[in-house]
């Protein structure tokens, strides 16, 4: 599991040459604050390979479900997190601070606006904790 989490961080920080396609009209920090439905797709180029990313946010039984899927063809890695409503203000504020800090990088690739695995504060507090988040992946 640590290997998979390290992979998410590695892919997020190494790449600069990227392309993206935005599907949601609102910014992610505002969406996570109220757990509004959100969807964004993009891609990250790394070592000559392109990794596609799909990020979604949805309400489910008093939880806010965040999903970050990295995939190529049929192979994928999926991070799924379930947050309580009480955690949403922290997540929103942290992502807003992160996005303000990395404005130039986000301008180059909008997918980073919602990619929680790039935010070290959130990663350490929630994403690496199996109480909140789980990673699944395709079998080769």
């Amino acid at each position: 599991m640590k290997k998979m989490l390290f992979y998410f961080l590695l892919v997020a920080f190494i790449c600069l040459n990227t392309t993206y396609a935005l599907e949601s009209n609102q910014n992610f920090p505002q969406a996570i604050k109220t757990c509004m439905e959100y969807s964004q797709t993009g891609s990250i180029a790394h070592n000559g390979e392109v990794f596609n990313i799909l990020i979604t946010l949805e309400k489910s039984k008093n939880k806010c479900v965040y999903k970050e899927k990295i995939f190529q063809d049929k192979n994928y890695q999926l991070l799924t997190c379930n947050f309580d409503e009480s955690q949403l203000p922290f997540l929103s504020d942290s992502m807003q601070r992160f996005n303000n800090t990395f404005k130039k990088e986000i301008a180059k690739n909008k997918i980073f606006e919602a990619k929680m695995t790039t935010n070290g504060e959130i990663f350490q507090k929630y994403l690496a904790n199996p109480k909140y988040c789980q990673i699944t992946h395709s079998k080769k």
Side-chain angles (χ1 to χ4, degrees), residues 107-123:
K108 291 177 186 175
N109 188 350
K110 189 76 170 164
I111 195 71
F112 289 114
E113 178 187 36
K115 197 170 184 317
M116 284 184 154
T117 53
T118 60
N119 182 327
E121 182 179 32
I122 290 175
F123 186 86

Side-chain angles (χ1 to χ4, degrees), residues 24 35 60:
S24 182
C35 195
S60 174

